[in-house]
Structures are given as structure tokens and as C-alpha cells.
């Protein structure tokens, strides 16, 4: 079974206009079948996939933050 994964990476100007906000939203799309729903439940309830995805996203954001800071510093 294939699980489609996707993510949206955004760089937006802050509301105050004094900087930028970087965000990354990720998700997996399980098939809309009984088997897909069972696997989705197992992934979230038993394997704690949401926490793993959050950790992975944070690592990516920290990487981009370092790269952007390095580029800004020259």
C-alpha cells in the first residue's frame, strides 16, 4: 500500500513587518478504505506518527533557519 506524503514550506513576512515566519506543514494521505483507516489509526495511536512528523519538521525548519542566517551573514 502506498501512503502519499506531502508538505508545504512557507516563508511569510511577519504580521509586525519586522521579520519573517517560516512554517512547514506535512501530512500523509492514507487510502479511504477500511485497511487504510486501520493503518492510519495504528500509525497515529500506536506508533505516534504525529510526534515523529513534528520532530522531523522541526529539524528541517532549524536547518533552513541556519542556512538563511548563514546566507544573511555573508
Amino acid at each position: 500500500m502506498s501512503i502519499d506524503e506531502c508538505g508545504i514550506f512557507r516563508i511569510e513576512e511577519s504580521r509586525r513587518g519586522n521579520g519573517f515566519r517560516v512554517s512547514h506543514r506535512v501530512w500523509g494521505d492514507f487510502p479511504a478504505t477500511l485497511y487504510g483507516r486501520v493503518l492510519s489509526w495504528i500509525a497515529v495511536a500506536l506508533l505516534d506518527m504525529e510526534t515523529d512528523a513534528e520532530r522531523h519538521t522541526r529539524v528541517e525548519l532549524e536547518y533552513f533557519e541556519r542556512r538563511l542566517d548563514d546566507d544573511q551573514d555573508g
Side-chain angles (χ1 to χ4, degrees):
M1 172 185 295
S2 295
I3 309 298
D4 294 329
E5 296 179 62
C6 196
I8 297 174
F9 181 77
R10 290 186 178 163
I11 300 175
E12 303 167 300
E13 191 170 355
S14 68
R15 291 183 185 157
R16 296 180 189 160
N18 60 350
F20 292 91
R21 177 180 168 211
V22 178
S23 64
H24 189 199
R25 182 176 179 213
V26 296
W27 65 90
D29 190 16
F30 288 84
T33 63
L34 176 62
Y35 188 60
R37 288 192 297 272
V38 169
L39 284 179
S40 175
W41 180 84
I42 289 170
V44 172
L46 301 179
L47 301 177
D48 201 17
M49 183 176 80
E50 290 174 342
T51 300
D52 288 343
E54 181 182 319
R55 275 191 216 116
H56 177 73
T57 298
R58 185 170 311 279
V59 167
E60 289 179 333
L61 288 172
E62 289 169 352
Y63 168 79
F64 285 118
E65 179 183 34
R66 284 192 307 276
R67 292 299 312 257
L68 291 168
D69 287 344
D70 289 347
D71 287 346
Q72 187 177 24
D73 292 339

